[in-house]
Amino acid sequence: VLASIGQARGVRSDIDKRQLMALLLAGLIGTPVGVLILAEVPAEPLRILILVFIFAASLVLLSSRERLFTMSSPAFVLAGFVAGLVNGATAMSGLVLALFFTLTGVRPAVMRATMIAYFFVTDIWTCGFLAISGFFDDTTFLRVGAALPLLGLGLWLGTSRFRATPPQTFRTYVLWLLILLCVLGLVRIAVSQA
């Protein structure tokens, strides 16, 4: 939520409102389903499943010829539902949406702006469901406070990298970033299990 607020002013004009509405409507439906899944299934196996899937899909997309698809509204609805489901269960919908957008011919600025707007709404929605379901405690708020400096640094670095990356190589950059985030996520889980 805080990251989206920090970037809102600079991206507002690039948001594709039609894509955003399709993603949001389906994502808002998928989120409570994801929270219900989280209440029944441990979070770590879900995270591992998603990280391995995103990692493998990113590798496949990197090794294949760049083929972009024109996505229809139903494709955005499906992507929104899956992202909402993943967001409610693991708070990792960004990886899902970034992977989806790498398949589309959407301009990088539109992709970034639409994702930022999507996260703003869905993160508020998800926080509400998680709070009602008892997943927030004092530790949650301490972690958020501790993460704020890193959030600021990440926003600054991400914005500068985005501006410096040529549109023709943006897709490759996003896929490598997804792979890196998946590896770091899997390492974090492995270290916490040890």
Side-chain angles (χ1 to χ4, degrees), residues 25-37:
L25 292 175
L28 294 177
I29 293 167
T31 296
V33 177
V35 172
L36 288 173
I37 291 171

Side-chain angles (χ1 to χ4, degrees), residues 39-58:
E40 299 299 322
V41 179
E44 293 308 311
L46 293 173
R47 284 191 179 97
I48 292 168
L49 177 69
I50 291 162
L51 289 168
V52 168
F53 173 78
I54 298 291
F55 178 83
S58 297

Side-chain angles (χ1 to χ4, degrees), residues 19 22-23 53-54 57-58 61 67-80 82-83 93-106 111 114-115 171 174-175 178:
Q19 290 174 359
L23 290 169
F53 173 78
I54 298 291
S58 297
L61 290 173
R67 185 183 327 169
L68 302 178
F69 301 94
T70 302
M71 297 292 183
S72 62
S73 291
F76 279 89
V77 168
L78 178 61
V82 171
S93 62
L95 299 176
V96 172
L97 280 182
L99 182 65
F100 170 74
F101 271 113
T102 63
L103 294 170
T104 71
V106 174
M111 170 187 161
T114 304
M115 285 180 64
R171 176 182 181 267
V174 168
L175 290 169
L178 287 172

Side-chain angles (χ1 to χ4, degrees), residues 13-35:
S13 63
D14 289 319
I15 296 170
D16 184 316
K17 289 169 185 59
R18 200 178 104 223
Q19 290 174 359
L20 177 62
M21 291 310 297
L23 290 169
L24 273 177
L25 292 175
L28 294 177
I29 293 167
T31 296
V33 177
V35 172

Side-chain angles (χ1 to χ4, degrees), residues 39-168:
E40 299 299 322
V41 179
E44 293 308 311
L46 293 173
R47 284 191 179 97
I48 292 168
L49 177 69
I50 291 162
L51 289 168
V52 168
F53 173 78
I54 298 291
F55 178 83
S58 297
L59 281 178
V60 168
L61 290 173
L62 273 174
S63 64
S64 63
R65 282 185 340 128
E66 185 173 318
R67 185 183 327 169
L68 302 178
F69 301 94
T70 302
M71 297 292 183
S72 62
S73 291
F76 279 89
V77 168
L78 178 61
F81 180 79
V82 171
L85 184 85
V86 169
N87 198 37
T90 66
M92 295 171 40
S93 62
L95 299 176
V96 172
L97 280 182
L99 182 65
F100 170 74
F101 271 113
T102 63
L103 294 170
T104 71
V106 174
R107 288 184 309 107
V110 172
M111 170 187 161
R112 179 173 177 257
T114 304
M115 285 180 64
I116 289 168
Y118 173 86
F119 293 135
F120 178 72
V121 174
T122 58
D123 286 350
I124 290 172
W125 182 251
T126 303
C127 284
F129 276 103
L130 291 171
I132 290 168
S133 300
F135 286 103
F136 286 166
D137 59 14
D138 292 341
T139 304
T140 305
F141 297 105
L142 289 172
R143 287 179 180 166
V144 168
L148 286 177
L150 291 175
L151 174 68
L153 177 63
L155 289 175
W156 177 76
L157 285 171
T159 299
S160 19
R161 278 305 311 152
F162 176 77
R163 289 183 180 143
T165 304
Q168 7 355 330

